[in-house]
Amino acid sequence: MRKLSRLMSQRYDQALAPAGVNLNQYSILRRTGGQGRPLGEIAHELGMDRSTLSRDLKPLVEAGWIEAVAGGDARQRRLRITRAGRKVIDRAMPLWRVAQDEIDRGLGMDGIAVLHAQLDAAIAQLQGAIR
C-alpha cells in the first residue's frame, strides 16, 4: 500500500510541477474553498491530523494562496483560498486531469472500480477502528 501510494503521489507530483504545487498542496487548495472552512474539517476530509495539515499549510499561506480568517467565534479560524490560490488551481487542474486520465487508462475502468471499492472498504474499516 505504501509503495502504491508513493508511486501515485510521484506521478501526480510530476504532472503538477509546472503549476508549482505538489499533490498534497493541490489537494489542500482544492478543499479550502472560497468561503473558508475550518482547519479540522479540511484535515478530516484529507485524512490528516490537524498538526500535519498546519505544517503543510505554512508554505501555502506564505505564498499567498491561502489565508486564515476569523471563524464564528474567537477560537475558530477558517482557511480560505485567495485569488492567487485560485489561479494556481486553474493552472493545476488540467494537469491533474491528464495524470488522472493516464492512470485510469492504465488500470482500465474495471480495475479502477475494483480498486476504489477495496480502498473504500479499507478506509471505512480503519476509520471505524480508530474512533
Side-chain angles (χ1 to χ4, degrees):
M1 292 295 292
R2 285 183 179 256
K3 184 175 183 177
L4 175 60
S5 178
R6 279 192 299 275
L7 289 170
M8 295 290 282
S9 292
Q10 289 170 0
R11 176 75 54 97
Y12 285 110
D13 286 348
Q14 289 171 354
L16 292 168
V21 293
N22 62 36
L23 178 60
N24 199 36
Q25 293 168 330
Y26 175 74
S27 297
I28 293 168
L29 285 168
R30 288 270 327 260
R31 284 167 176 79
T32 301
Q35 300 302 314
R37 295 179 65 198
L39 179 82
E41 185 179 296
I42 297 168
H44 177 74
E45 191 172 309
L46 291 168
M48 301 172 80
D49 60 64
R50 292 171 59 99
S51 61
T52 300
L53 178 57
S54 292
R55 184 178 60 248
D56 289 350
L57 279 168
K58 190 173 184 175
L60 300 175
V61 171
E62 289 173 356
W65 298 340
I66 290 179
E67 62 185 354
V69 296
D73 62 46
R75 296 170 300 171
Q76 186 185 53
R77 79 177 175 154
R78 300 175 72 81
L79 301 172
R80 180 171 62 198
I81 193 167
T82 64
R83 181 173 290 147
R86 176 64 49 207
K87 287 179 182 177
V88 172
I89 289 290
D90 291 345
R91 283 192 309 271
M93 194 174 299
L95 300 170
W96 179 89
R97 183 78 258 161
V98 167
Q100 183 65 49
D101 290 346
E102 288 174 2
I103 291 166
D104 288 351
R105 276 192 304 277
L107 294 175
M109 295 313 292
D110 291 340
I112 292 289
V114 169
L115 179 60
H116 279 280
Q118 291 174 335
L119 291 172
D120 290 345
I123 289 167
Q125 190 276 325
L126 290 171
Q127 283 180 335
I130 292 172
R131 292 172 194 218

